[in-house]
Amino acid sequence: MTTVVIVCPTARGGHIEHAADIAAVLERNSEARVVVLSRPGAADYLASLGRGDLIVDEILPDLSPIGGIRGKLRNALGLFVEAHRLRHAVRDLQPAVVVAEEPRYAFRGELGGSRRDVRLVTFVHNARPHAGDSEHVVRWAKSWLMRRTISMSDAIVVHGMRQAKIVAHEYDVEPIAVSLPNQSVADNPPPAPNPSLVAGREERDAFLCLGEIRTNKGIELAIRAARASELPLRIVGKAPERAYLDKLMELASGATHIEIIPNFLSPDDFQRELTGCRAVLLPYAQFDAHSGVLARAMAAGIAVLAADLPALVEQTGEYGRIAFFRAGDSQDLSRLMTDFLQPGTLSGESPRPGNPSPPAQPWEAIVGAILGN
């Protein structure tokens, strides 16, 4: 039996969910034995998704919650510990394939266990790392590690042709482009809108910005648009960039119809927010990847108002409940939000129903890229 190791240094959220889905399809379609190596908390998180049968070894050191120089030094030291543990774990498992969910490894020996016969596959979810403007050292380190990981990998997999072109140009490789699946393997059938109340709010009362609150997400545009249109806006997600969050809080100050909730969401809370909104807003200022939020919205048939960035347009395909505005133009977004409320548009009162995007076979394509088929 072929053994596949998936290295996922993020214990919660989209990356570990992506790893779990790959593992499920690998085990189902190729009868491979899959082991996920991650950080503390990954097993409990996956169990909450109903994926407690997946073999997860939490060998990677936990990240320091301490900020400033002390925290950065501690995490830098953690990289050496991580490399040492990975090398020994992979050597013991003797896999045929090792998959890196994130391009953050400097030496082949870390992922390959110092063995030359291992196929190394790296996922590049973001062709251009989006660290905060003030994190110059972090941005440089991420870019350097990405280049190192890409250079030593046997295959690079990206979501979408937009990212494939960027990676091919900037790293002189030929990546494999696959679509980002619109639903998890565990979502069968796709989740339907929840008719119950959401966090004490009437269903579908607010536009929603969902997911990590980062500078490239353009959330300030949504706030300006909500102020101009006087329509309710809810912003929910983890905020790793404190300076950006402070800026958004200031922009929303005094506007009682705008909520900012900078919390990490459990999978259930994420789906509850998604299916309880009026429409999802994707006001991204810079984004070359496929969006997990957009994928989940399409799977559930939720209306979406998005910036007309090439990667988002590409990902949308033939989805029928999306409208685009000029990227960076808050007035155009405000107009779109107002028009959305009119009969005959994408709104919930529209006579034209939403067409949830079918799951098709994107997971099989991803597994094929991993195995080299």
Side-chain angles (χ1 to χ4, degrees):
M1 179 180 289
T2 299
T3 297
V4 177
V5 169
I6 303 177
V7 181
C8 184
T10 305
R12 301 186 302 172
H15 284 288
I16 195 70
E17 293 174 23
H18 189 259
D21 282 320
I22 291 172
V25 179
L26 275 168
E27 291 176 338
R28 183 180 67 200
N29 292 13
S30 63
E31 297 184 349
R33 170 179 178 256
V34 184
V35 179
V36 175
L37 304 180
S38 189
R39 303 193 193 280
D44 286 343
Y45 183 83
L46 290 175
S48 73
L49 298 173
R51 308 297 290 276
D53 56 339
L54 182 61
I55 301 174
V56 181
D57 195 349
E58 300 175 342
I59 66 164
L60 307 186
D62 212 348
L63 295 174
S64 171
I66 304 171
I69 297 297
R70 184 182 172 190
K72 286 183 172 60
L73 289 174
R74 184 172 171 181
N75 285 335
L77 177 61
L79 289 176
F80 291 97
V81 176
E82 185 171 321
H84 176 75
R85 293 181 181 177
L86 271 179
R87 182 179 291 108
H88 285 276
V90 173
R91 186 181 300 163
D92 292 342
L93 290 166
Q94 297 185 333
V97 182
V98 174
V99 180
E101 259 293 321
E102 299 177 32
R104 50 170 284 135
Y105 299 98
F107 303 102
R108 185 181 177 94
E110 294 178 64
L111 295 173
S114 300
R115 294 172 53 226
R116 291 294 178 182
D117 59 341
V118 177
R119 174 176 168 84
L120 296 185
V121 181
T122 296
F123 272 90
V124 177
H125 291 276
N126 295 288
R128 293 185 177 126
H130 44 248
D133 292 338
S134 61
E135 299 175 321
H136 301 298
V137 175
V138 173
R139 191 186 309 114
W140 177 87
K142 286 184 176 181
S143 296
W144 183 79
L145 287 172
M146 179 184 288
R147 187 170 298 277
R148 290 284 302 181
T149 311
I150 287 174
S151 67
M152 68 188 184
S153 297
D154 299 303
I156 305 298
V157 186
V158 299
H159 293 302
M161 291 304 302
R162 171 74 178 175
Q163 292 214 93
K165 291 177 181 177
I166 294 171
V167 171
H169 174 72
E170 296 188 4
Y171 299 97
D172 194 26
V173 296
E174 294 185 12
I176 302 169
V178 296
S179 297
L180 177 67
N182 284 349
Q183 66 184 82
S184 166
V185 174
D187 294 338
N188 189 24
N194 187 345
S196 64
L197 299 184
V198 179
R201 299 171 290 121
E202 291 187 6
E203 187 191 17
R204 302 190 181 282
D205 69 336
F207 291 91
L208 177 69
C209 287
L210 185 62
E212 280 195 322
I213 300 174
R214 290 186 178 275
T215 53
N216 68 300
K217 298 295 182 69
I219 298 171
E220 64 274 14
L221 295 173
I223 293 175
R224 293 189 181 106
R227 276 190 172 277
S229 62
E230 297 184 349
L231 291 172
L233 172 66
R234 187 171 170 87
I235 301 162
V236 188
K238 181 181 177 181
E241 302 170 19
R242 184 67 212 187
Y244 184 55
L245 177 61
D246 290 342
K247 174 184 176 181
L248 298 180
M249 290 289 193
E250 184 177 352
L251 282 173
S253 177
T256 57
H257 62 293
I258 299 176
E259 288 184 280
I260 301 178
I261 304 173
N263 295 331
F264 179 85
L265 295 174
S266 70
D268 287 344
D269 288 338
F270 184 99
Q271 195 63 32
R272 193 174 297 115
E273 290 288 346
L274 182 68
T275 56
C277 72
R278 178 172 277 170
V280 171
L281 301 187
L282 300 177
Y284 296 174
Q286 185 272 319
F287 197 73
D288 298 302
H290 278 187
S291 165
V293 175
L294 176 56
R296 290 301 182 94
M298 290 193 294
I302 304 297
V304 181
L305 309 182
D308 60 355
L309 297 176
L312 297 178
V313 175
E314 174 194 54
Q315 183 182 352
T316 301
E318 300 300 320
Y319 186 61
R321 298 202 69 195
I322 189 167
F324 294 96
F325 65 94
R326 291 187 297 274
D329 190 335
S330 62
Q331 291 183 341
D332 199 31
L333 174 56
S334 176
R335 175 194 59 77
L336 202 59
M337 291 168 67
T338 302
D339 290 348
F340 176 83
L341 302 182
Q342 304 304 314
T345 66
L346 303 177
S347 69
E349 294 75 33
S350 169
R352 179 177 60 173
N355 298 310
S357 181
Q361 57 244 7
W363 287 117
E364 282 74 8
I366 290 172
V367 167
I370 289 172
L371 298 179
N373 298 338

